[in-house]
Amino acid sequence: MAMKELKTFSVIPGKEEQEIQIWRSFGWELVGAPQEVRTADSQVFTGQDSDGTEHYQTTAGVHYIKLTFERDPERKNYSELKSLEEQYYGLEEPTLWEKPKLITKLWLILIGVGLLIYVVPGIILLVIHIIKYVKDTKLWNSSYERYRTKMASFNAQQQEILSKAQALV
């Protein structure tokens, strides 16, 4: 009898059932119950000023769910399930640029200085910024449409791989 594969990882609370279903699709079995891990915030003394003010650094606690799975390499369709799992986790999720903001701090300062110096430079800077914003927004909108298309394709590929794997389990 061969050794079973063992895999342990952490998930965000509330997402554990979704992750369990995904891993079961690839032939993994949940070992034991999900373990909730929660730590408290901690403070570390970092120093004291000459006037007696004490300074502390606070580290936020963590909260996650620990899941442990096992899979038997001798199981039926093991190589196909492993291959589908690698394909599923090998898919690269599309990314999206940040949407442009109408007025950023830098442009606000430049326009303000331009208006203080004289109204015309401020108005010119404002018009230039509005033109740039409109152009950037058009680029972002077309980029967002491409992102939505890629994301739909990404989700369809994931579902296709999952359905193939579930048929083998």
Side-chain angles (χ1 to χ4, degrees), residues 69-104:
F69 291 91
E70 71 177 8
R71 178 169 64 181
D72 188 358
E74 300 294 322
R75 77 174 289 140
K76 182 180 168 187
N77 300 322
Y78 171 77
S79 59
E80 292 91 348
L81 287 170
K82 188 171 182 175
S83 172
L84 288 169
E85 178 185 340
E86 289 170 0
Q87 289 175 33
Y88 183 85
Y89 287 104
L91 290 175
E92 191 173 323
E93 187 171 348
T95 56
L96 180 65
W97 300 345
E98 185 177 327
K99 187 171 183 173
K101 296 181 176 108
L102 177 60
I103 299 281
T104 60

Side-chain angles (χ1 to χ4, degrees), residues 50-65:
S50 60
D51 65 355
T53 306
E54 295 181 344
H55 298 279
Y56 293 88
Q57 179 179 8
T58 302
T59 304
V62 295
H63 184 204
Y64 61 90
I65 308 296

Side-chain angles (χ1 to χ4, degrees), residues 149-161:
T149 304
K150 288 178 183 178
M151 199 63 190
S153 172
F154 172 79
N155 289 332
Q157 288 175 331
Q158 276 191 325
Q159 288 305 315
E160 180 183 341
I161 292 170

Side-chain angles (χ1 to χ4, degrees), residues 2-167:
M3 292 282 295
K4 291 186 176 185
E5 289 181 285
L6 199 63
K7 193 173 273 197
T8 301
F9 59 97
S10 307
V11 297
I12 299 169
K15 298 282 187 183
E16 62 268 16
E17 199 56 45
Q18 178 184 359
E19 286 296 319
I20 290 170
Q21 291 305 317
I22 290 171
W23 285 95
R24 282 186 177 157
S25 298
F26 298 114
W28 291 92
E29 296 298 324
L30 184 65
V31 178
Q35 298 173 326
E36 185 171 9
V37 177
R38 186 187 305 243
T39 62
D41 293 350
S42 62
Q43 286 189 333
V44 177
F45 178 73
T46 57
Q48 184 174 358
D49 289 343
S50 60
D51 65 355
T53 306
E54 295 181 344
H55 298 279
Y56 293 88
Q57 179 179 8
T58 302
T59 304
V62 295
H63 184 204
Y64 61 90
I65 308 296
K66 182 178 170 185
L67 301 173
T68 303
F69 291 91
E70 71 177 8
R71 178 169 64 181
D72 188 358
E74 300 294 322
R75 77 174 289 140
K76 182 180 168 187
N77 300 322
Y78 171 77
S79 59
E80 292 91 348
L81 287 170
K82 188 171 182 175
S83 172
L84 288 169
E85 178 185 340
E86 289 170 0
Q87 289 175 33
Y88 183 85
Y89 287 104
L91 290 175
E92 191 173 323
E93 187 171 348
T95 56
L96 180 65
W97 300 345
E98 185 177 327
K99 187 171 183 173
K101 296 181 176 108
L102 177 60
I103 299 281
T104 60
K105 290 177 186 174
L106 175 64
W107 276 100
L108 192 60
I109 291 168
L110 288 174
I111 292 168
V113 169
L115 287 172
L116 285 176
I117 293 173
Y118 190 65
V119 176
V120 175
I123 291 174
I124 290 171
L125 285 173
L126 183 61
V127 169
I128 290 171
H129 181 65
I130 290 172
I131 291 169
K132 181 183 178 317
Y133 171 76
V134 168
K135 179 181 158 195
D136 289 349
T137 302
K138 284 180 184 176
L139 283 172
W140 187 85
N141 286 335
S142 65
S143 171
Y144 183 70
E145 284 306 313
R146 284 193 304 276
Y147 165 78
R148 286 184 49 172
T149 304
K150 288 178 183 178
M151 199 63 190
S153 172
F154 172 79
N155 289 332
Q157 288 175 331
Q158 276 191 325
Q159 288 305 315
E160 180 183 341
I161 292 170
L162 277 177
S163 62
K164 285 180 186 177
Q166 288 168 348

